[in-house]
Amino acid sequence: MTFEELQPKVIDVLNHDSLLREEKLLQLCHLLSDNIDYYDWVGFYFRNGEKEELVLGPYVGEPTDHTVIPFGKGICGQVAVSNQNFVVPDVTAQDNYIACSLTVKSEIVVPLFVNGENIGQIDIDSEVLDAFTERDERFLEFVNEEVAKLF
């Protein structure tokens, strides 16, 4: 399924009135994982109140030990500080990478802003080397703009 075909489905999931926010986010993770073959782990991390750390939110994929990530540590922690998208074509070439699984080859992290504040991020791992393009970035920015409306 193309990103263009997924956009209205993203909106439908997030506008489902009878679901709690966490349930909507989990369904969104499933939607992306099920429809984009190289999205092998899809999840959200959110800022833990005023603490400079991220906590794992809804996700789909292999379980991870990384349920709390300090700001600055790993790709997710770096995005929490930089407020910029981070695309990692080859995780083995990244010094500050936190390995979640030996099968992960590339990663993309896109920050989630609410009223101009970085409250978290969407994190996607792929078992394909150099899996993510600018089209993934634009699509995930769209996803996060829609997710932001839940907060």
Side-chain angles (χ1 to χ4, degrees):
M1 190 172 296
T2 68
F3 292 136
E4 293 74 21
E5 292 169 325
L6 277 172
Q7 286 181 339
K9 295 181 182 308
V10 167
I11 293 168
D12 287 347
V13 165
L14 297 176
N15 288 332
H16 201 285
D17 288 338
S18 66
L19 296 178
L20 299 172
R21 181 171 56 202
E22 296 290 309
E23 294 170 318
K24 291 177 184 182
L25 293 176
L26 182 59
Q27 279 197 2
L28 178 60
C29 291
H30 278 288
L31 177 72
L32 300 182
S33 177
D34 292 347
N35 289 286
I36 303 172
D37 61 352
Y38 56 95
Y39 282 21
D40 297 303
W41 191 97
V42 178
F44 288 90
Y45 282 92
F46 292 100
R47 183 177 183 134
N48 187 8
E50 293 303 310
K51 295 180 182 176
E52 292 203 345
E53 65 184 20
L54 299 164
V55 291
L56 181 62
Y59 74 94
V60 172
E62 292 294 316
T64 178
D65 293 335
H66 305 291
T67 57
V68 177
I69 299 175
F71 279 22
K73 185 162 175 59
I75 307 307
C76 291
Q78 290 177 74
V79 169
V81 173
S82 73
N83 298 319
Q84 303 289 319
N85 298 350
F86 200 148
V87 179
V88 182
D90 179 358
V91 296
T92 63
Q94 209 41 250
D95 288 341
N96 195 10
Y97 176 70
I98 302 172
C100 291
S101 165
L102 295 174
T103 61
V104 174
K105 303 280 191 286
S106 57
E107 180 176 14
I108 185 170
V109 179
V110 176
L112 171 60
F113 295 99
V114 174
N115 299 321
E117 180 184 351
N118 183 347
I119 66 153
Q121 54 207 224
I122 190 167
D123 177 20
I124 300 177
D125 292 341
S126 180
E127 295 175 2
V128 176
L129 198 61
D130 200 11
F132 305 106
T133 69
E134 189 173 321
R135 293 187 70 243
D136 292 278
E137 285 189 77
R138 299 297 83 80
F139 173 68
L140 295 172
E141 288 167 354
F142 162 81
V143 168
N144 278 356
E145 286 168 13
E146 295 301 316
V147 168
K149 296 173 184 176
L150 302 177
F151 290 85

